[in-house]
Amino acid sequence: MALERLLKIVEEIYDQMKRGEIPEIKLVTRKKQNIEFDEKSEVWIYGEKKSVRSAKTLRGAYQLLRMVYVIGFLKDLLNQNRSSTLRELYYISENWGIAKFNEQLESDRLIEDLEILTGLQRESFNVRPEEDGATVFGDLKIRERTRRGERIIHCQDDVGEAGYQIPTNVDSLEFLECNADFVIAIETGGMRDRLVENGFDEDYNAIIVHLKGQPARSTRRLLRRLNVELGLPVVVFTDGDPWSYRIYASVAYGSIKSAHLSEYLATPSALFIGIRPSDILKYELPSDKLSDEDVKALNSLLSDPRFNNDFWRKEINLQLEIGKKSEQQALAKYGLNFVTDVYLPERLTELGVLKR
């Protein structure tokens, strides 16, 4: 199916040229102005605005040429049952003459174009990212299918302190048994280690997922599967800065970059329990001054539809007013156990995840 849909794109370009037409393709516009809320799926998706890639311009001609080269490369991958990383694809283009990419951002974006045009994920093309190192730790037993066969893993008993590393293709996992009550997704490795060391997973029956900064799609897919298939509430614990708020938004609502996959990757019911600007004042947390880039990003969030509610407007405006940002680890001001004994239980109870 993947190969058939990819080749159809090339066939359409060929047919246009055969008819004496200048070849072009139409793609959904991937900008904030073209994001809209889908009431049915409760996630943010692309709207109907489209842009045209046409060989009428030199830039457009290069883009179409590169697309044809990439489809040819993917055709070989699929026929040979082989795979490639995004980074490898970028370097392979060095042999494509004038069609080579100038930077990896261009090749990554072209793969996203093909996802949109085919309605498939890049994994269907046998293309994967580099290992992201994100992990899951908790009372969850899974069956993992690999090239060497199947293996059963308990993500608490059969793994090291970091947990089970989330694979690229999360849909190859089968959930066999889970006794957890909720999932907590954590931005930083340091805070993940703190929760594991303090036994938070056992004390509060939680599955701990390390996002490793801006989460990879495989991590977001796992969170959605745990939420939808196992009915586990998902909470997201991040630093208190605009970039971290965007991490939460990508988990809950999907990212602007991959809005075409929001129904597959996003978890709309995910709750934010990260450091709030109001926490900086309430707990008198150690903080840093907002940079010019931070201020610019916060103002941008005020026009982002994913943050268009009273809670976020209030918190963002407060942060702009106090001019400060703070990290998760700042809670250590009150001791290494404060985050697991006080802060998180209070916030989780407030949100109804933990019962009083």
Side-chain angles (χ1 to χ4, degrees):
M1 180 175 67
L3 182 56
E4 181 181 337
R5 294 189 188 184
L6 288 168
L7 292 179
K8 186 176 180 181
I9 297 171
V10 179
E11 289 169 2
E12 289 178 356
I13 293 175
Y14 174 78
D15 289 341
Q16 289 174 2
M17 292 191 293
K18 192 175 180 180
R19 293 192 299 267
E21 302 171 358
I22 297 175
E24 66 177 31
I25 59 171
K26 292 183 179 179
L27 276 165
V28 66
T29 302
R30 281 178 282 171
K31 293 183 178 179
K32 185 167 61 177
Q33 294 79 5
N34 195 36
I35 293 289
E36 58 185 39
F37 187 71
D38 183 75
E39 297 285 349
K40 184 178 180 180
S41 60
E42 296 185 307
V43 297
W44 292 93
I45 60 174
Y46 290 129
E48 297 182 357
K49 294 180 182 178
K50 292 188 176 182
S51 56
V52 177
R53 298 267 177 88
S54 171
K56 289 181 180 179
T57 67
L58 182 61
R59 182 171 182 269
Y62 273 122
Q63 290 174 324
L64 292 180
L65 179 63
R66 288 168 179 148
M67 179 174 288
V68 172
Y69 265 89
V70 168
I71 291 175
F73 171 68
L74 298 179
K75 174 177 175 287
D76 291 339
L77 283 183
L78 292 166
N79 285 335
Q80 298 169 20
N81 195 27
R82 301 182 67 186
S83 66
S84 167
T85 66
L86 290 168
R87 189 66 173 169
E88 287 171 330
L89 168 59
Y90 165 65
Y91 281 124
I92 284 170
S93 78
E94 287 290 323
N95 301 314
W96 294 352
I98 61 173
K100 75 174 184 178
F101 295 104
N102 297 311
E103 56 181 344
Q104 188 178 338
L105 183 63
E106 293 178 342
S107 54
D108 287 355
R109 190 169 179 82
L110 200 151
I111 289 294
E112 292 165 7
D113 289 342
L114 293 177
E115 287 181 319
I116 293 173
L117 289 169
T118 62
L120 300 172
Q121 301 171 73
R122 65 188 176 204
E123 287 80 8
S124 299
F125 312 146
N126 288 358
V127 174
R128 53 188 170 80
E130 306 300 323
E131 291 294 341
D132 61 22
T135 58
V136 56
F137 190 95
D139 196 349
L140 173 68
K141 184 183 289 186
I142 60 173
R143 177 182 285 116
E144 179 185 53
R145 297 183 180 88
T146 70
R147 288 180 298 173
R148 297 181 179 86
E150 297 183 349
R151 61 173 181 162
I152 294 176
I153 301 168
H154 191 282
C155 298
Q156 204 172 40
D157 299 335
D158 302 333
V159 296
E161 293 181 359
Y164 166 75
Q165 183 160 308
I166 300 171
T168 300
N169 184 9
V170 172
D171 286 321
S172 68
L173 303 180
E174 179 183 352
F175 300 143
L176 300 178
E177 183 180 332
C178 179
N179 297 304
D181 294 327
F182 68 97
V183 180
I184 181 167
I186 302 174
E187 176 181 356
T188 67
M191 184 55 71
R192 182 273 315 274
D193 294 343
R194 171 55 47 215
L195 266 63
V196 171
E197 182 177 316
N198 286 11
F200 185 84
D201 56 303
E202 295 179 338
D203 293 342
Y204 294 97
N205 222 21
I207 291 176
I208 300 170
V209 174
H210 177 209
L211 298 176
K212 198 178 180 185
Q214 185 65 41
R217 299 197 320 191
S218 56
T219 307
R220 287 184 280 152
R221 176 59 180 159
L222 176 65
L223 292 172
R224 179 172 176 85
R225 285 195 62 195
L226 290 171
N227 175 254
V228 174
E229 297 175 29
L230 301 183
L232 298 177
V234 173
V235 297
V236 184
F237 185 26
T238 73
D239 290 338
D241 61 57
W243 320 105
S244 298
Y245 306 152
R246 287 176 176 171
I247 287 174
Y248 160 71
S250 71
V251 171
Y253 310 120
S255 64
I256 293 173
K257 183 179 178 182
S258 58
H260 57 294
L261 298 173
S262 287
E263 293 184 44
Y264 184 81
L265 301 177
T267 307
S269 61
L271 302 171
F272 179 76
I273 59 170
I275 302 298
R276 307 174 179 178
S278 53
D279 288 334
I280 298 176
L281 298 179
K282 178 181 178 180
Y283 296 104
E284 299 181 348
L285 295 177
S287 58
D288 295 314
K289 182 180 178 181
L290 292 176
S291 67
D292 291 341
E293 285 298 311
D294 292 331
V295 172
K296 182 179 178 181
L298 285 169
N299 281 313
S300 176
L301 293 185
L302 288 172
S303 62
D304 188 322
R306 297 174 299 174
F307 296 89
N308 186 26
N309 58 55
D310 290 340
F311 167 78
W312 281 111
R313 283 194 296 270
K314 180 180 178 182
E315 291 291 340
I316 291 171
N317 282 318
L318 175 60
Q319 190 151 32
L320 288 168
E321 180 184 334
I322 64 176
K324 296 179 179 179
K325 59 184 178 182
S326 191
E327 299 179 349
Q328 296 174 312
Q329 284 84 350
L331 293 168
K333 168 184 177 180
Y334 298 102
L336 295 178
N337 295 335
F338 181 79
V339 64
T340 52
D341 292 354
V342 180
Y343 182 82
L344 287 176
E346 287 183 354
R347 185 56 50 81
L348 290 166
T349 300
E350 173 189 321
L351 295 174
V353 178
L354 294 181
K355 306 305 178 183
R356 295 183 182 276

